[in-house]
Amino acid sequence: MSGIELTDLNFDTEVIKSNIPVLVDFWAPWCGPCKMIAPVIEELANEYASKIKVGKVNTDNNMNTSTKYQIASIPTIIFFKGGLPVQKIVGFKPKTELKKILDGLL
Amino acid sequence: MPISPHLPENIYDIIIIGGGPAGLTAGIYASRARMKTLLIEKMGCGGNAALTDWIENYPSMPDGISGFELAQKMEQQARKFGTEIVYEEFIKVKDTGIYKIVKTTEKEYDAIAIIIATGAEYKSLGVPGEEEFRGKGVSYCATCDGAFFKDKDIVVAGGGNSAFQEAIFLTRFAKTVTIVHRRDTFRAMPILQERAKADAKIKFVVNSIIERIEGNEKVERIVLKNTITGQNSVLNADGIFIFIGFAPATEYLKGVIELDTIGHIISDSTMNTSSNGIFACGDARKKTLRQIITAASDGAIAAHSAQEYVEHIKNQYLAVK
């Protein structure tokens, strides 16, 4: 599965109140590079299924969440643990590096 | 059963390193030639083409096509014919004489031939504030970040095709776009220069270099130095997009194959490098024109040469009865 669709409405329930770490991918439909890393995010969602949650926020439709986390560049990935943003990654990072961060959160 | 006592089990015929237009085209050709082909990509397929807003010089596309879509179609095409793709970072290649061992951050793979298609990466300015404000107003990708600068004043650093193309793209969002260039002449193609000069939103500051990028939480101003007078000046800006050229991504190939002083791979017209069984294609090569179509052309030739090499090796080591 390619992860859940996060919105301003469900962000609190799905991410802040989640009892497992969450990888949040901020993207927009006009951002080719965001779509370019989508297969990588999908692979991570499969490999870490049940251990972490993977979700994506469409920055066009969810301005509140995007503003709150100061998104000025996409793709941006934020890792949440215990309801707090613990690491923010701006731009591309290889899958190996994302895995290292995830392993550190488990 | 190993295919030969000389070759390990599960060996690939060809491993392609890099998933931009050069590597993907090599994948299409190699897979259609029924070579067992693996493509190793560090981030996501598409390379610099996927970061380009609009491509209007690729033949058969009179109305143009988005860079991402073009790259994505190439990826689909490579997968369709059987190219396997993994997202791992290449670390090094070891030559055993008969075959090669490719080491990535995750594991090791064996192949008879290697095609290097690692391309080039954008250069950074290397000025104070650049790293600090990355993602807070400093960007290297207009298609990723342009929309966050609606009605803002932005600066584009550079004077080549990328700088002009992206500056024109950014006028869709920005209030003003100021192109800052260190000389007073531009390398960008005339058609792009004409368009930029005709655009009321685009301004030019020439003979100037960027000294530093300043702000509090995010970019607020750019400090410039005039290369003729030596005077500093301040330009208020909400963002800066840096397109000052590309450097070949070949650091890890030093000592493996011959590179020029900048790091471009030296290869001949059949894409052979200085090392037997290692081929090169795309922007990482030393060549005159770095475009999607020349990358694709290189990729096709590299796959063909690699295929001939693989068949030669197999005949030599598999013919033993």
Side-chain angles (χ1 to χ4, degrees), chain A:
Chain A
M1 270 306 293
S2 63
I4 46 174
E5 192 75 37
L6 298 169
T7 64
D8 285 347
L9 295 176
N10 72 6
F11 199 84
D12 197 57
T13 328
E14 293 286 356
V15 180
I16 305 302
K17 294 193 175 126
S18 169
N19 45 21
I20 53 171
V22 192
L23 179 162
V24 182
D25 172 22
F26 291 85
W27 75 291
W30 43 261
C31 167
C34 297
K35 292 186 233 166
M36 187 171 148
I37 61 161
V40 178
I41 303 291
E42 193 166 331
E43 282 192 12
L44 287 174
N46 288 329
E47 287 167 34
Y48 287 82
S50 79
K51 283 189 263 175
I52 61 151
K53 195 189 275 187
V54 172
K56 47 197 225 171
V57 175
N58 179 335
T59 55
D60 278 357
N61 306 336
N62 301 285
M63 288 301 284
N64 291 344
T65 308
S66 309
T67 309
K68 185 172 175 195
Y69 295 102
Q70 297 178 327
I71 308 298
S73 181
I74 50 174
T76 287
I77 292 171
I78 303 182
F79 296 85
F80 286 82
K81 193 179 181 180
L84 295 171
V86 288
Q87 191 148 1
K88 183 177 183 178
I89 293 198
V90 178
F92 305 109
K93 282 285 180 291
K95 188 182 169 194
T96 319
E97 253 175 77
L98 298 175
K99 281 174 75 171
K100 263 190 213 145
I101 297 170
L102 287 175
D103 291 337
L105 291 180
L106 293 175

Side-chain angles (χ1 to χ4, degrees), chain B residues 200-257:
Chain B
K201 280 189 177 180
I202 300 182
K203 300 174 191 174
F204 295 88
V205 175
V206 295
N207 294 321
S208 295
I209 52 170
I210 288 154
E211 280 273 288
R212 50 183 190 276
I213 300 162
E214 294 182 342
N216 287 315
E217 288 288 292
K218 42 190 176 177
V219 173
E220 288 169 14
R221 60 199 163 266
I222 314 293
V223 179
L224 306 176
K225 183 183 180 179
N226 188 295
T227 54
I228 295 166
T229 64
Q231 294 281 314
N232 277 8
S233 62
V234 173
L235 194 59
N236 288 326
D238 304 290
I240 175 164
F241 286 76
I242 298 164
F243 303 109
I244 53 164
F246 292 89
T250 54
E251 194 56 28
Y252 46 83
L253 291 169
K254 275 181 191 159
V256 181
I257 52 176

Side-chain angles (χ1 to χ4, degrees), chain B residues 5-22:
Chain B
H6 301 284
L7 296 172
E9 248 177 294
N10 301 323
I11 189 169
Y12 285 95
D13 291 319
I14 299 173
I15 288 181
I16 300 162
I17 301 164

Side-chain angles (χ1 to χ4, degrees), chain B residues 142-165:
Chain B
T143 53
C144 311
D145 305 336
F148 294 109
F149 294 88
K150 205 164 177 6
D151 299 322
K152 307 271 189 190
D153 296 308
I154 53 189
V155 164
V156 166
N161 286 331
S162 301
F164 273 72
Q165 174 125 28

Side-chain angles (χ1 to χ4, degrees), chain B residues 89-157:
Chain B
E89 208 170 343
F90 165 65
I91 298 174
K92 66 175 178 189
V93 55
K94 200 179 136 207
D95 199 338
T96 69
I98 307 171
Y99 65 96
K100 333 270 182 215
I101 303 167
V102 174
K103 193 169 159 39
T104 72
T105 40
E106 305 280 311
K107 45 183 112 153
E108 285 188 349
Y109 300 96
D110 303 313
I112 297 173
I114 307 287
I115 296 175
I116 309 278
T118 47
E121 286 166 347
Y122 60 76
K123 282 193 213 161
S124 52
L125 286 165
V127 299
E130 185 177 14
E131 201 49 49
E132 185 190 343
F133 293 114
R134 189 159 180 193
K136 296 171 184 165
V138 172
S139 175
Y140 305 87
C141 177
T143 53
C144 311
D145 305 336
F148 294 109
F149 294 88
K150 205 164 177 6
D151 299 322
K152 307 271 189 190
D153 296 308
I154 53 189
V155 164
V156 166

Side-chain angles (χ1 to χ4, degrees), chain B:
Chain B
M1 257 280 281
I3 47 173
S4 151
H6 301 284
L7 296 172
E9 248 177 294
N10 301 323
I11 189 169
Y12 285 95
D13 291 319
I14 299 173
I15 288 181
I16 300 162
I17 301 164
L24 291 170
T25 307
I28 295 167
Y29 276 76
S31 298
R32 287 195 78 238
R34 293 292 176 252
M35 295 276 110
K36 186 175 172 198
T37 306
L38 174 72
L39 189 151
I40 299 172
E41 162 59 39
K42 181 163 72 159
M43 313 271 196
C45 285
N48 291 316
L51 304 183
T52 309
D53 162 49
W54 202 247
I55 311 283
E56 56 181 22
N57 55 4
Y58 198 82
S60 82
M61 310 278 176
D63 301 320
I65 183 170
S66 88
F68 170 74
E69 199 186 336
L70 181 61
Q72 195 192 30
K73 282 175 187 286
M74 290 185 184
E75 180 183 348
Q76 278 171 5
Q77 209 170 342
R79 284 187 194 272
K80 176 182 151 185
F81 291 115
T83 304
E84 286 174 50
I85 298 177
V86 292
Y87 301 105
E88 293 171 23
E89 208 170 343
F90 165 65
I91 298 174
K92 66 175 178 189
V93 55
K94 200 179 136 207
D95 199 338
T96 69
I98 307 171
Y99 65 96
K100 333 270 182 215
I101 303 167
V102 174
K103 193 169 159 39
T104 72
T105 40
E106 305 280 311
K107 45 183 112 153
E108 285 188 349
Y109 300 96
D110 303 313
I112 297 173
I114 307 287
I115 296 175
I116 309 278
T118 47
E121 286 166 347
Y122 60 76
K123 282 193 213 161
S124 52
L125 286 165
V127 299
E130 185 177 14
E131 201 49 49
E132 185 190 343
F133 293 114
R134 189 159 180 193
K136 296 171 184 165
V138 172
S139 175
Y140 305 87
C141 177
T143 53
C144 311
D145 305 336
F148 294 109
F149 294 88
K150 205 164 177 6
D151 299 322
K152 307 271 189 190
D153 296 308
I154 53 189
V155 164
V156 166
N161 286 331
S162 301
F164 273 72
Q165 174 125 28
E166 304 307 317
I168 295 163
F169 170 71
L170 287 166
T171 59
R172 289 190 207 180
F173 313 103
K175 189 163 76 189
T176 65
V177 177
T178 306
I179 296 179
V180 174
H181 187 46
R182 63 197 151 105
R183 285 190 296 265
D184 62 356
T185 51
F186 302 103
R187 273 173 295 113
M189 288 186 296
I191 187 171
L192 294 174
Q193 292 197 36
E194 284 161 22
R195 277 185 208 164
K197 284 169 184 165
D199 194 315
K201 280 189 177 180
I202 300 182
K203 300 174 191 174
F204 295 88
V205 175
V206 295
N207 294 321
S208 295
I209 52 170
I210 288 154
E211 280 273 288
R212 50 183 190 276
I213 300 162
E214 294 182 342
N216 287 315
E217 288 288 292
K218 42 190 176 177
V219 173
E220 288 169 14
R221 60 199 163 266
I222 314 293
V223 179
L224 306 176
K225 183 183 180 179
N226 188 295
T227 54
I228 295 166
T229 64
Q231 294 281 314
N232 277 8
S233 62
V234 173
L235 194 59
N236 288 326
D238 304 290
I240 175 164
F241 286 76
I242 298 164
F243 303 109
I244 53 164
F246 292 89
T250 54
E251 194 56 28
Y252 46 83
L253 291 169
K254 275 181 191 159
V256 181
I257 52 176
E258 195 188 341
L259 307 174
D260 71 3
T261 49
I262 302 168
H264 289 121
I265 300 167
I266 310 280
S267 51
D268 64 16
S269 62
T270 60
M271 308 299 145
N272 266 285
T273 68
S274 62
S275 181
N276 233 355
I278 300 184
F279 303 86
C281 55
D283 286 359
R285 289 181 66 225
K286 183 182 171 73
K287 60 185 207 170
T288 51
L289 184 65
R290 293 190 175 81
Q291 293 281 296
I292 297 173
I293 191 149
T294 62
S297 165
D298 284 0
I301 299 168
H304 178 74
S305 299
Q307 179 203 341
E308 284 191 336
Y309 175 83
V310 168
E311 281 162 1
H312 166 75
I313 290 288
K314 282 187 173 171
N315 286 337
Q316 210 170 342
Y317 293 99
L318 300 181
V320 191
K321 292 256 159 67

